[in-house]
């Protein structure tokens, strides 16, 4: 696999619950969600219905509606930015489009980069692909690989500098680096409402595009010592 900035694929995903409200889950779904959240319910004052408002972050109860992609291209000797949005209501088609894009644009393999990608974007995509019966692309095949063989970049991981209790949002990094916030039109906790109540898939896509562009900006700020 190439190890250069031209092989890095920056990505951000937007996800929504499979079923919008907890009350509409079937009995088995309700039981299994409660079991999954057992520890949170025990240590929280929130009800299971309130905790379900975060269902969109769990691949067993949610799906992908948008994947924002960005990468570096070349125009002569000049490095340029390219981007692509894959979004829609058909998750299977969307995931196949993502997989095919990897093969067509990065035939030698891409280094995936996301903010909090190791905890969210990468495993979420892999889980949804397996749930949908889609063979994983090489970039998401982590089984039997040693940690140093996994070429994923996580900008939140970089910002931790070994401080593993330290969580920092992309919005906060954009602020401290004096970059334009990606959260002007929408925030992550508004995506489910925008999708299920407003039908605003184009707004979600625009929000996702802004996130992935800021991700590239943050990457450049964090990678300044290598330039």
């Amino acid at each position: 696999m190439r190890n250069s900035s031209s092989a890095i694929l920056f990505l951000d995903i937007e996800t929504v619950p499979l079923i919008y409200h907890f009350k509409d889950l079937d009995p088995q779904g309700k039981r299994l969600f409660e079991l999954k959240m057992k520890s949170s319910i025990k240590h929280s004052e929130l009800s299971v219905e309130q905790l379900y408002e975060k269902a969109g972050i769990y691949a067993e109860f949610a799906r992908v509606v948008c994947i924002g992609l960005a990468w570096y291209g070349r125009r002569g000797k000049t490095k340029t930015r390219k981007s692509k949005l894959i979004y829609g209501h058909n998750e299977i088609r969307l995931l196949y489009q993502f997989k095919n894009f990897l093969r067509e644009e990065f035939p030698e393999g891409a280094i995936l980069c996301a903010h909090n990608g190791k905890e969210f974007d990468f495993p979420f995509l892999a889980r949804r692909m397996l749930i949908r019966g889609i063979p994983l692309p090489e970039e998401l095949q982590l089984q039997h690989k040693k940690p140093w063989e996994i070429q994923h970049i996580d900008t939140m991981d970089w910002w931790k500098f070994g401080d593993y209790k330290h969580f920092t949002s992309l919005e906060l990094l954009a602020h401290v680096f004096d970059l334009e916030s990606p959260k002007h039109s929408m925030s992550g906790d508004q995506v489910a409402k925008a999708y299920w109540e407003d039908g605003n898939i184009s707004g979600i896509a625009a929000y996702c595009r802004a996130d992935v562009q800021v991700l590239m900006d943050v990457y450049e700020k964090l990678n300044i010592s290598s330039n």
Side-chain angles (χ1 to χ4, degrees):
M1 183 179 290
R2 295 170 296 174
N3 190 13
S4 68
S5 62
S6 62
I8 298 175
L9 179 63
F10 300 86
L11 67 85
D12 180 69
I13 66 173
E14 302 304 331
T15 64
V16 298
L18 291 167
I19 305 296
Y20 189 29
H21 296 296
F22 178 79
K23 64 181 178 61
D24 295 323
L25 287 174
D26 60 47
Q28 181 76 333
K30 289 178 180 177
R31 184 182 71 83
L32 291 171
F33 184 80
E34 286 194 60
L35 283 174
K36 185 174 181 68
M37 304 302 294
K38 185 175 181 180
S39 176
S40 296
I41 293 171
K42 184 177 180 180
H43 297 96
S44 172
E45 295 181 358
L46 299 177
S47 67
V48 66
E49 290 82 3
Q50 290 171 312
L51 290 170
Y52 188 76
E53 293 177 6
K54 299 290 186 181
I57 67 173
Y58 301 110
E60 302 88 351
F61 295 92
R63 60 187 173 93
V64 182
V65 294
C66 184
I67 306 175
L69 305 169
W71 65 102
Y72 293 108
R74 290 281 177 183
R75 184 175 297 165
K77 295 183 179 180
T78 304
K79 186 168 71 171
T80 61
R81 286 187 178 191
K82 296 184 176 182
S83 64
K84 181 180 179 66
L85 284 174
I86 303 172
Y87 63 98
H89 305 291
N90 188 323
E91 186 187 44
I92 295 176
R93 181 185 301 167
L94 185 155
L95 293 173
Y96 267 118
Q97 286 177 330
F98 170 62
K99 183 178 179 179
N100 292 338
F101 170 83
L102 282 171
R103 296 287 68 80
E104 293 165 7
E105 188 66 34
F106 297 90
E108 297 178 38
I111 299 171
L112 302 182
C113 177
H115 191 76
N116 199 28
K118 292 181 180 179
E119 292 288 329
F120 181 64
D121 304 75
F122 308 145
F124 197 104
L125 283 169
R127 290 165 184 158
R128 290 309 299 174
M129 282 185 162
L130 292 177
I131 287 170
R132 294 298 197 177
I134 302 172
L136 297 179
E138 174 64 26
E139 289 83 353
L140 292 175
Q141 291 180 18
L142 308 188
Q143 302 91 328
H144 312 303
K145 286 185 179 178
K146 298 177 177 62
W148 55 88
E149 295 175 329
I150 301 171
Q151 297 198 59
H152 288 169
I153 297 173
D154 189 328
T155 49
M156 191 174 81
D157 216 22
W158 278 14
W159 184 248
K160 287 178 178 180
F161 288 97
D163 179 3
Y164 288 100
K165 65 182 182 298
H166 195 81
F167 176 88
T168 306
S169 68
L170 184 63
E171 182 180 17
L172 177 54
L173 283 185
H175 175 72
V176 300
F177 285 124
D178 198 26
L179 301 169
E180 184 175 354
S181 172
K183 311 298 182 183
H184 288 315
S185 60
M186 195 179 298
S187 59
D189 59 358
Q190 297 172 326
V191 170
K193 178 183 181 296
Y195 182 84
W196 284 109
E197 295 185 26
D198 305 331
N200 189 12
I201 188 71
S202 60
I204 293 170
Y207 162 64
C208 190
R209 183 194 295 275
D211 256 5
V212 81
Q213 292 298 326
V214 171
L215 172 65
M216 292 185 84
D217 292 335
V218 167
Y219 169 83
E220 290 176 357
K221 293 289 187 180
L222 295 178
N223 204 40
I224 191 169
S225 61
S226 300
N227 295 333

